[in-house]
């Protein structure tokens, strides 16, 4: 189940590549379970995402997801706002997918996962 699916190629405008949900504002007003996938090159860059209280959110950022052609910065410089009681799981799959990303807790909780990291 997905509330917002942003990939490297727009389903509405197939000639558009990348940035399908960038420079945008998304507000999820129902306290429920939400799934946001940002898959591809800069697809959610510079966007704002706000979630209502007591929501449960799974948020994936993967610039090199299968079928996207690869890239970088899926969620760079994005801002996430969590109302009280919201529980947020952020998955940054590539090491450059969440550069400059900010999570404003406002009473919410955040769990952060990084994959494919070089130590």
């Amino acid at each position: 189940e997905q509330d917002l699916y942003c990939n490297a190629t727009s389903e509405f405008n197939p000639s558009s590549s990348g940035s399908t949900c960038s420079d945008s504002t998304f507000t999820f007003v129902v306290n429920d379970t939400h799934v946001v996938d940002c898959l591809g090159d800069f697809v959610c860059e510079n966007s704002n995402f706000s979630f209502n209280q007591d929501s449960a959110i799974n948020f994936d950022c993967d610039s090199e997801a299968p079928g996207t052609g690869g890239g970088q910065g899926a969620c760079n410089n994005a801002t996430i706002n969590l109302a009280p009681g919201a529980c947020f799981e952020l998955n940054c799959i590539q090491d450059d997918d969440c550069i400059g990303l900010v999570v404003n807790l406002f009473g919410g909780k955040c769990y952060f996962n990084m994959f494919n990291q070089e130590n």
Side-chain angles (χ1 to χ4, degrees):
E1 180 178 320
Q2 297 163 320
D3 289 306
L4 184 62
Y5 180 77
C6 304
N7 68 358
T9 303
S10 171
E11 292 181 20
F12 300 105
N13 182 5
S15 65
S16 172
S17 64
S19 305
T20 54
C21 296
S22 65
D23 299 300
S24 301
T25 298
F26 301 94
T27 303
F28 298 81
V29 294
V30 177
N31 4 336
D32 199 356
T33 300
H34 301 289
V35 177
V36 176
D37 288 333
C38 296
L39 309 176
D41 204 25
F42 302 112
V43 291
C44 294
E45 183 180 46
N46 298 317
S47 287
N48 292 295
F49 301 86
S50 296
F51 296 93
N52 203 4
Q53 65 185 26
D54 301 323
S55 293
I57 305 105
N58 181 281
F59 200 104
D60 289 345
C61 302
D62 188 359
S63 58
E64 295 185 19
T68 64
Q72 62 184 8
C75 297
N76 285 1
N77 301 311
T79 301
I80 314 295
N81 299 304
L82 302 177
C87 184
F88 180 73
E89 179 182 349
L90 173 63
N91 299 301
C92 296
I93 309 302
Q94 310 304 322
D95 60 359
D96 60 356
D97 280 338
C98 295
I99 295 170
L101 183 141
V102 174
V103 178
N104 296 312
L105 296 177
F106 301 119
K109 300 174 190 146
C110 181
Y111 301 91
F112 178 69
N113 296 307
M114 292 285 291
F115 302 95
N116 296 331
Q117 299 302 300
E118 294 180 16
N119 294 324

